[in-house]
Amino acid sequence: SHTGTIQVGGATYINGNGVLTINTASKWITKDLTVNGTIQSNASGCVALSVSGKTTINTNGKIKGRIDICDINGIELNVGTLDNT
């Protein structure tokens, strides 16, 4: 579970059974994002997920909850589950 701001200079990988929970008023900033597990938010308001490079949501990848995804050049691959975030 994460609260506050995290900035990753390289790539963020959420693998297999991995779960990243982003809490209210928090922000996750990364260059590249690969999701094979789950990114979720149980926040009542939106949380931010910012990607400056490449976003890949693979078959088993899930993004759910109130998450504002900002990828500067769009999500390159989405074959997973992307809820109405």
Side-chain angles (χ1 to χ4, degrees):
S1 182
H2 157 70
T3 301
T5 298
I6 297 285
Q7 185 159 0
V8 179
T12 297
Y13 296 94
I14 309 300
N15 288 320
N17 292 326
V19 177
L20 169 63
T21 301
I22 306 173
N23 294 319
T24 300
S26 295
K27 188 175 206 178
W28 192 279
I29 304 165
T30 188
K31 179 180 178 204
D32 296 316
L33 175 66
T34 301
V35 183
N36 294 308
T38 301
I39 298 176
Q40 64 185 14
S41 173
N42 298 324
S44 57
C46 265
V47 300
L49 177 59
S50 296
V51 181
S52 61
K54 181 178 177 183
T55 299
T56 302
I57 305 169
N58 289 315
T59 305
N60 293 324
K62 297 179 185 90
I63 298 180
K64 58 186 183 177
R66 300 183 81 173
I67 301 174
D68 181 15
I69 302 170
C70 179
D71 183 324
I72 197 163
N73 56 11
I75 296 173
E76 284 74 16
L77 177 66
N78 177 16
V79 291
T81 303
L82 180 60
D83 285 352
N84 294 328
T85 57

